[in-house]
């Protein structure tokens, strides 16, 4: 489990870095980005809470790093940010010419179908392999939160709901809330998981939320002028599931906002403070 | 002087927009971006102060818009941001295959040489044509400030120093402070202005600052790990000129920071608050 430093840039008195490593789970080299607040560099004998951010279709680990403005808050709150890529990558990795399948569109699932199953195991990568790597190499605690945007919001909700013991809190911007019932989800889940739609339910936040026995707090932010809202995102399905089981879901609609990073940048402070409320209850643990 | 809306995105309860217009000065169509804080949209009967941001080599109007995180402060302070492109553009516009000359590298000068002089008049565009356009179409006052990065920091310093009556305050990140004595400057000024180096001095911030009779306050931020610091930027020349004439220059060195937008994002709040101190002395003027 070695990692190789690709770049390191000072940001808000901490470090914004990119690393490369060989993923056993994904069977290819991967990049991830990480932000270390100043205190994690100065006092690595303590362990700091960490937020995993999952990005959306076509993104890599750099979009959120460059555009969201999250480092300012992470620096203030003393939170490490980990930003993985959105799929396995490389010329030996199966791909599709469309933007919503294949490289850049891993949908955070473990594929069971050819030609995808050799590499496309983003669920296991995010849940197990990457945190183990991060916890081996950086001074992070086991206080983890998870967030993401669009396809990555779907990933954050699904992964958080299926692993409530691993995350203090979950949030999402403009997530794909009900992928079994939208075109992006039907295409990706059909390709990665096959025609049997019962297997899809393990990757549908609205289904999973209705079945949850442990209730990790969730914040979802959604713009009302989002061009994908009606056909692809379906937050009403998540809200209905939450209402039926009294789940602590805070779903906020924001008038005039679209699906872009300008929306994320406008509300990232609210999301990081939401997570901090849970992460920081016991955020420093001596080794 | 018509403008055409290309896109509009909600950001921090204001609007981040891109417009297109035909520039008489540059003799080609141009794009610019603008951020309007919420109050400028709700109460356009008032006029709001404006900060012009000049970007660096290879940039367009979108880099700063997406990466600097300036909208958060502009929204809080009630300041309009105007972000022009860095050169004339188009297939009919002279260009050069290198990144530091031609399209994306206008250096904010009025070119006098072939093949550049037909289009490359960025100085006049930023000083006159663009502000006239902005003031005709948006509720901005004549309280203007100017800032920029690298080549754009050079542009902000030069334009601010040569037009002290037009700007309340000047700032720059990692500016090219002494272009007559660095490789980027020698190449660009030589191409755009010709071999007579006396004409270059009108575009050299360190020369102009030493000659200034009106002292507009200047803030310059420079990272100590900037890969271009020694050979290209030469802040020591600006500092020496300021010392010689007791100019109100605040030059801040920041340990560990490089030339990237991560540096800008880390200190944009300080720059906007610096400008606000001067801009907002009389920031709302009834029409």
């Amino acid at each position: 489990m070695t990692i190789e430093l690709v770049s390191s840039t000072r940001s808000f008195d901490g470090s914004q870095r990119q690393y490369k490593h060989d993923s056993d789970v994904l069977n290819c080299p991967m990049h991830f980005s990480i932000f270390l607040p100043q205190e994690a560099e100065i006092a690595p004998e303590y362990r700091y809470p960490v937020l995993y951010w999952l990005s959306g279709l076509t993104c890599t680990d750099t979009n959120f790093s460059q555009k969201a403005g999250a480092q300012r808050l992470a620096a203030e709150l003393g939170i490490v940010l980990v930003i993985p890529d959105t799929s396995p990558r490389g010329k030996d990795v199966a791909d599709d010419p469309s933007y919503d399948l294949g490289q850049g569109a891993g949908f955070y699932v473990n594929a069971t179908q050819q030609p995808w199953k050799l590499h496309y195991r983003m669920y296991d990568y995010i849940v197990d392999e990457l945190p183990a790597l991060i916890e081996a190499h950086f001074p992070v605690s086991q206080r983890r939160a998870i967030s993401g945007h669009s396809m990555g919001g779907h990933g954050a909700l699904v992964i958080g709901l299926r692993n409530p013991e691993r995350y203090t809190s979950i949030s999402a911007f403009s997530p794909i809330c009900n992928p079994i019932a939208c075109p992006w989800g039907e295409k990706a889940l059909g390709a990665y998981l096959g025609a049997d739609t019962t297997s899809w339910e393990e990757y549908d936040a609205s289904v999973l939320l209705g079945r949850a026995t442990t209730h990790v707090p969730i914040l979802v932010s959604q713009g009302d002028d989002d061009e994908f809202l009606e056909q692809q995102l379906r937050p009403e399905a998540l809200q209905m599931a939450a209402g039926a089981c009294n789940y602590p879901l805070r779903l906020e609609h924001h008038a005039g906002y679209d699906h872009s990073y300008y929306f994320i940048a406008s509300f990232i402070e609210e999301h990081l403070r939401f997570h901090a409320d849970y992460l920081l209850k016991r955020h420093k643990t001596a080794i």
Side-chain angles (χ1 to χ4, degrees), chain A:
Chain A
M1 289 218 304
T2 61
I3 59 175
E4 179 190 336
L5 181 67
V6 176
S7 66
S8 181
T9 301
R10 184 67 62 221
S11 168
F12 288 94
D13 289 340
S15 284
Q16 179 70 34
R17 302 183 190 169
Q18 191 185 46
Y19 287 90
K20 188 176 177 180
H21 73 108
D22 290 319
S23 166
D24 292 335
V25 167
L26 301 176
N27 202 16
C28 67
M30 290 292 289
H31 287 85
F32 67 86
S33 288
I34 187 167
F35 174 74
L36 295 168
Q38 186 179 36
E39 61 211 84
E41 300 192 291
I42 290 177
E45 66 273 22
Y46 292 99
R47 295 190 168 268
Y48 301 86
V50 57
L51 175 79
Y52 288 84
W53 172 270
L54 307 184
S55 299
L57 287 167
T58 77
C59 287
T60 69
D61 56 309
T62 63
N63 305 68
F64 180 79
S65 303
Q66 294 176 344
K67 297 182 178 179
Q71 292 91 351
R72 180 177 66 87
L73 285 312
E76 178 194 322
L77 298 166
I79 295 172
V80 174
L81 305 175
V82 174
I83 308 118
D85 202 348
T86 53
S87 76
R89 302 268 182 189
K91 63 178 173 41
D92 298 329
V93 172
D95 200 5
D96 186 276
S98 57
Y99 76 99
D100 53 1
L101 189 67
Q103 295 187 30
F107 271 84
Y108 306 99
V109 305
N110 291 333
T112 59
Q113 305 298 303
Q114 292 290 7
W116 310 107
K117 65 182 185 180
L118 181 62
H119 297 285
Y120 285 75
R121 299 184 61 82
M122 286 296 289
Y123 179 86
D124 283 351
Y125 178 69
I126 301 296
V127 173
D128 294 320
E129 188 184 36
L130 184 62
L133 192 77
I134 296 297
E135 289 161 24
H137 289 278
F138 301 97
V140 297
S141 72
Q142 294 192 358
R143 304 289 289 179
R144 305 178 201 92
I146 192 162
S147 184
H149 174 234
S150 194
M151 175 185 76
H154 142 77
L157 291 169
V158 163
I159 287 170
L161 286 163
R162 285 176 58 176
N163 302 277
E165 75 291 354
R166 293 180 65 80
Y167 302 97
T168 61
S169 43
I170 304 165
S171 81
F173 290 85
S174 329
I176 305 170
C177 292
N178 192 198
I180 65 175
C182 80
W184 276 341
E186 289 165 5
K187 178 177 177 178
L189 298 178
Y192 295 138
L193 304 177
D196 176 8
T197 58
T198 57
S199 67
W200 300 9
E201 295 185 355
E202 286 300 306
Y203 297 105
D204 187 287
S206 298
V207 172
L208 294 167
L209 187 143
R211 293 176 186 166
T213 51
T214 305
H215 286 182
V216 177
I218 299 178
L219 168 64
V220 171
S221 294
Q222 176 61 57
D224 276 352
D225 276 6
D226 186 321
E227 56 271 42
F228 301 112
L229 176 54
E230 200 168 328
Q231 198 183 12
Q232 304 282 12
L233 306 181
R234 296 182 49 77
E236 66 280 8
L238 197 70
Q239 191 164 32
M240 191 170 301
C245 66
N246 206 22
Y247 195 102
L249 167 70
R250 194 166 109 206
L251 171 59
E252 297 186 348
H253 290 274
H254 294 284
Y257 284 89
D258 67 13
H259 200 70
S260 73
Y261 262 89
Y262 289 110
F263 176 49
I264 299 172
S266 297
F267 294 97
I268 194 70
E269 177 163 358
E270 181 192 6
H271 280 241
L272 285 191
R273 293 197 189 284
F274 165 80
H275 288 294
D277 278 349
Y278 301 98
L279 282 172
L280 302 184
K281 281 181 179 164
R282 197 179 58 205
H283 73 297
K284 281 186 180 180
T285 310
I287 295 173

